[in-house]
Each structure stands twice: as structure tokens, then as C-alpha cells.
Amino acid sequence: MYTDTDRCVRAVQSKDARFDGWFFTAVLTTRIYCRPSCPAVPPKVGNMSFLPSAAACQQAGFRACKRCRPDTSPGSPEWNARADAVARAMRLIQDGVVDREGVPGLATRLGYSTRQVERQLNAELGAGPLALARAQRAQTARLLIETSELPMADVAFAAGFSSIRTFNDTVREVFALSPSELRARGEKAHRNQPRIPGTISLRLPYRSPLNPDNLFGHLAATAVPGVEEWRAGAYRRTLRLPYGTGVVALTPQPDHIGCQLALTDLRDLTLAISRCRRLLDLDADPEAIDEQLRADPLLAPLVDKAPGRRVPRTVDAAEFAVRAVLGQQVSTAAARTHAARLVVAHGEPVADPDPAGGLTHLFPSPQALAGLDPESLALPRSRRTTLTTLVAALADGSLPLGIDSDWELARSRLGALPGFGPWTTEVIAMRALGDPDAFLPSDLGVRRAARGLGLPSTPAALTARAGGWRPWRAYAVQYLWATEDHAINHLPV
């Protein structure tokens, strides 16, 4: 995108927010970089330079605009839509892997040498993994400075900086303000916003439009008691994180998602934000997705009626895989009941920071479930075998499921497990792995919707017709599901 100069210039001159995160505008005269939708008067064309990432801008000596705050723009949708090494690397960096494991750890996860990873990221993003991680640390620091009352030393280490001096230098270099000046500006901007003690409040940006009905409706309708709940207009759930635990409340707003995080260790902030964004599919490009789906005349009316549907995903791929098996051939209510029993028996207790809340446990890890007695499961014998085999493979690492997974390899390994047919494999690919092209032609709801629209309703014929929806078939599934009057399609009241 950033190499198409004419298109970038038009986006900047029209202040088109759809391109926020796709590229950044570096202004050669002021040495400031902005998002395309910056409200300031656009610079002269000759003074514009376009770069693919905030890290590339910072590495080239540009500082973040104080008006449009380009470091807080939605992430590039490329990292969710692609499965190549660069996309997988970016998803891992967003999850804080470089901060926790260093560049060698990142390279090991990708199966490449550190030199290969450096070369590929520099070629596409104009910055290596250390620079990309540094840019993310700067954004995390800004969030903590502006939304918490933590001492600056605690902010520095929570954001991932190795020293207070590095923290101070980075903040000044990126934002042209000292940490204390940044906090003063933040206090002014957030003066009228209520702060809950012990929580971090922030806004999660997204590209419009966003239809919250099926997104939050699905999460609320399938919520596992004790782990998830819908309360006071927010979806709340517990989080298992590398350094501790967390509780998040996510509230749909007209132009952002309100996010309140309570963490036992602030070093988990970057990862918690990344997982929440992935859960709600906030880095998607709805304009591109809906334009592709509208090309089918039978699907177009659904898209026009409620554009901007997202794919409800997950904060924990292993958790979702277990829940997918529990949900095989049973109702939503029955799946919740089965999952709740596992949570009570094997989940790790947590304290809800809200006295009125109902969150009590983390969903049990594969290791915690590895020793469960199959006879204790109120499931058919074949389903017990499916579940225990899955849990064993997750626990011993022979079935890695995560943001860095190769989608096709994961499908192959899932399909080799007993009891895993196309539906279970594809729903895990869609919601746990994040493949935007995952498709469920055998799903009963999809087939009913297809028949009602005049689309082919047999799996083979529907798959052939859906070739025109690629690479966004997972989003087409959301539009098809939305034709039914089911709780997953309605924002809870």
C-alpha cells in the first residue's frame, strides 16, 4: 500500500480513516509522522513520504503527531489476513514475544534464523523486530502514563523497558514530550472519565463500520459461567497471561471499544490488549471485506442491511478447541453446561475486582485437564475419546495452536485426531487460529440460510459458489448465521 504514492496522497488529502494502520505519512519538513486521517492541514505533496509502520517512522527519525496519535491507530489488517512468515512474526511481536524471549525466541517460533527474520521484516516493514517491539513498548508506556497513576519507574518496567533511562529517552524521542509532560496532557484529556481503582481504562480503535450485534451477541450467548459474563453493557472475562491473571471488560461504543483491564502484573498489558483486539477482530478491514462479499448478488442484501460484521474469536486457542469439542452436536446451552463443569472441577480460582461481578475462575489449561477421568464426563463415549485425545495433544505440545500456527498444518493435525471432522476443524481455524477464509459449508445454520437466500445448500455446491467470496469466507458465514433469530445474533440488553 505505502508504495502506491498517488493512492496514499489521495487518502491523506481526503483524511480517509479506512487507511489508518495501512501506512503512515512522514512529513519531511516537520519530522512528524501521522496517520492518514490526521485532522491537521495536509502537507504539500512534495513534503510527504510514506512508510509501512510506526517503527519505520521512528527509526527514520520522525516523531509521533500530537494531534492524531498515529501510534494508537488500528493495526494493519494484513497481519490477520495473511499466514506467511512476516504476518506470523508481526502477530508474535504484538503479543510481546520479543520482550519476553528476544529475537532468537521469535526466530525459533517461526522456524527461521534470526538473520532471515531480520531480513524479511526490514524488507517489508522498514524495521527489524527490535525496532517494532520498541515502538510497541512506547505505545504501552503511553497508555500507562496517561491512564494510570503508577510511578514512572513502574511504568518503564511494566512496558518492557530494561532501564528508566531507556524509557525516558524513548518517550522523548517518539512523542517529543517527557513522561511527566505526557502524563499532564493525559490527565487533562481524561479529566472527566471515571477511573476505577486498580484498573487501566483505554479505548480500542477500529475501522468503521463495526456491527456489534453478532460479535458481542455470540460471546455473550456462549459465555461459560464463572469465566465469562455479560453485565452492565459489557462483555467481561478472565484472562490467563504469562506473568499472572487478568479480568477485562469490553464495552461497544459508537467509535471505539471501551476496555477496562485489571491485571495482577502490568507486564502483561501489551499481551492483554493484543488478545482483546484479536478476540473482537478489531484490525479487520470491513470496507474491503464487504466490497468482496457484495459482489455476490444473493449475499449483497445481507451486507447492505448490517455492514461491518466481525468474526468473534478467542483469547486462548487451546481453550476454544476444548469448547469446540464440547459443542459438537449439542445446543449452545448444553455446551455451556459441559464447559462450566470443567471450570468448577479443574479451573484456577481468581478474584473478580468488581464486587458485583460473577467471574470466579480461569478456564482450565490443557495441563490441568490432561489427568481428568473420562468417566467423569457426561458425554458420549466417542466424545470423551475426542476430548481426552485433544487435551493430551495440547498438553504435550504435539498440537500447537496459536497466533503463530501454520493454518494448513494445524488443520492437518486436527483432522488426524479421532472425532475431528470438517466442521470442528474449520470452526477452530476460524475462531481460534484466525483464518479469515475458514468456511463451514456443512453447518446447519449456514445451510438453512443458504437455502433461504437461493444459494446452493449442499456442502459441495455451496463451497463451489463460495469461491467468489474468498479470502473472506469466514465473514460470509457471519452474514449467513445472522439470518436466523438466535441469541448469538443480538446484542444483549
Side-chain angles (χ1 to χ4, degrees):
M1 172 68 201
Y2 75 100
T3 58
D4 188 343
T5 302
D6 292 340
R7 191 179 181 194
C8 290
V9 168
R10 290 195 300 271
V12 172
Q13 291 178 337
S14 62
K15 305 184 187 299
D16 195 334
R18 294 176 299 173
F19 294 97
D20 287 355
W22 277 106
F23 70 90
F24 295 85
T25 307
V27 185
L28 302 178
T29 49
T30 61
R31 306 302 295 175
I32 289 173
Y33 73 95
C34 304
R35 61 171 79 191
S37 64
C38 182
V41 177
K44 295 179 180 179
V45 174
N47 293 331
M48 295 184 197
S49 179
F50 304 108
L51 296 171
S53 66
C57 294
Q58 294 169 18
Q59 192 162 267
F62 295 89
R63 63 183 186 274
C65 174
K66 296 176 184 177
R67 292 192 64 182
C68 70
R69 298 169 57 127
D71 52 303
T72 62
S73 64
S76 172
E78 288 185 283
W79 316 136
N80 288 339
R82 286 166 43 182
D84 58 14
V86 171
R88 291 163 60 206
M90 284 302 297
R91 292 197 288 268
L92 287 168
I93 292 170
Q94 289 168 353
D95 258 15
V97 165
V98 171
D99 289 337
R100 295 192 302 274
E101 303 174 22
V103 177
L106 173 67
T108 299
R109 287 187 179 226
L110 295 171
Y112 290 90
S113 69
T114 56
R115 182 175 296 180
Q116 287 174 309
V117 173
E118 292 268 4
R119 184 172 64 248
Q120 291 186 56
L121 290 174
N122 272 296
E124 185 157 345
L125 291 162
L130 287 176
L132 292 162
R134 176 180 179 268
Q136 183 162 281
R137 283 195 294 272
Q139 167 58 6
T140 302
R142 182 174 199 159
L143 282 173
L144 289 171
I145 290 169
E146 293 183 339
T147 64
S148 76
E149 298 178 355
L150 289 173
M152 291 302 179
D154 291 346
V155 170
F157 294 116
F161 289 94
S162 58
S163 70
I164 297 175
R165 179 176 180 177
T166 303
F167 160 73
N168 287 329
D169 291 345
T170 299
V171 170
R172 287 193 182 95
E173 182 181 338
V174 173
F175 304 114
L177 294 168
S178 68
S180 58
E181 290 170 333
L182 200 57
R183 173 158 285 176
R185 287 172 61 94
E187 288 174 348
K188 183 178 180 181
H190 296 86
R191 186 171 295 160
N192 296 323
Q193 296 182 12
R195 286 188 178 181
I196 300 176
T199 66
I200 298 170
S201 300
L202 55 141
R203 296 184 172 200
L204 303 182
Y206 57 77
R207 294 177 185 81
S208 296
L210 180 144
N211 188 318
D213 295 357
N214 74 301
L215 182 60
F216 285 92
H218 205 125
L219 295 172
T222 61
V224 177
V227 176
E228 305 166 284
E229 68 174 359
W230 177 269
R231 192 172 60 77
Y235 167 75
R236 304 178 72 242
R237 74 153 292 148
T238 59
L239 301 171
R240 183 187 304 279
L241 300 163
Y243 297 106
T245 64
V247 171
V248 64
L250 298 165
T251 308
Q253 301 291 352
D255 59 351
H256 68 277
I257 300 296
C259 176
Q260 288 192 337
L261 277 165
L263 303 173
T264 58
D265 193 315
L266 287 173
R267 289 176 294 176
D268 286 321
L269 178 61
T270 297
L271 177 56
I273 293 172
S274 174
R275 289 189 177 176
C276 291
R277 295 193 63 82
R278 191 177 309 115
L279 170 71
L280 302 181
D281 196 16
L282 296 185
D283 289 324
D285 185 352
E287 294 281 349
I289 295 166
D290 289 351
E291 180 181 6
Q292 179 80 10
L293 299 182
R294 280 193 185 98
D296 189 318
L298 296 182
L299 207 57
L302 298 182
V303 179
D304 291 335
K305 180 181 178 180
R309 293 194 183 276
R310 301 300 210 272
V311 177
R313 294 200 168 122
T314 182
V315 297
D316 188 319
E319 172 191 319
F320 184 83
V322 171
R323 292 171 61 173
V325 170
L326 295 175
Q328 287 178 332
Q329 299 178 345
V330 298
S331 67
T332 299
R336 294 178 69 219
T337 299
H338 290 315
R341 289 172 181 162
L342 285 184
V343 167
V344 171
H346 303 281
E348 179 183 333
V350 296
D352 192 329
D354 187 336
L359 304 181
T360 59
H361 289 80
L362 297 174
F363 193 87
S365 67
Q367 290 72 24
L369 293 174
L372 64 81
D373 179 7
E375 298 302 320
S376 67
L377 301 172
L379 299 170
R381 188 167 299 278
S382 61
R383 194 83 43 77
R384 296 179 195 173
T385 300
T386 300
L387 182 62
T388 54
T389 305
L390 169 67
V391 167
L394 292 170
D396 67 18
S398 60
L399 177 63
L401 296 179
I403 57 169
D404 56 330
S405 295
D406 180 294
W407 294 336
E408 294 311 314
L409 179 59
R411 278 183 170 92
S412 175
R413 289 176 173 171
L414 287 167
L417 298 177
F420 270 77
W423 184 90
T424 309
T425 299
E426 286 300 303
V427 79
I428 292 173
M430 176 191 296
R431 296 192 56 196
L433 301 180
D435 184 353
D437 202 38
F439 192 48
L440 306 172
S442 63
D443 180 83
L444 183 59
V446 169
R447 295 178 65 186
R448 280 200 298 255
R451 188 181 302 113
L453 292 172
L455 291 162
S457 58
T458 62
L462 185 56
T463 299
R465 175 61 178 264
W469 306 341
R470 306 191 77 165
W472 310 118
R473 293 184 300 177
Y475 295 87
V477 169
Q478 307 308 312
Y479 283 105
L480 292 171
W481 274 341
T483 61
E484 295 200 325
D485 186 21
H486 191 285
I488 66 170
N489 295 316
H490 303 290
L491 190 68
V493 295

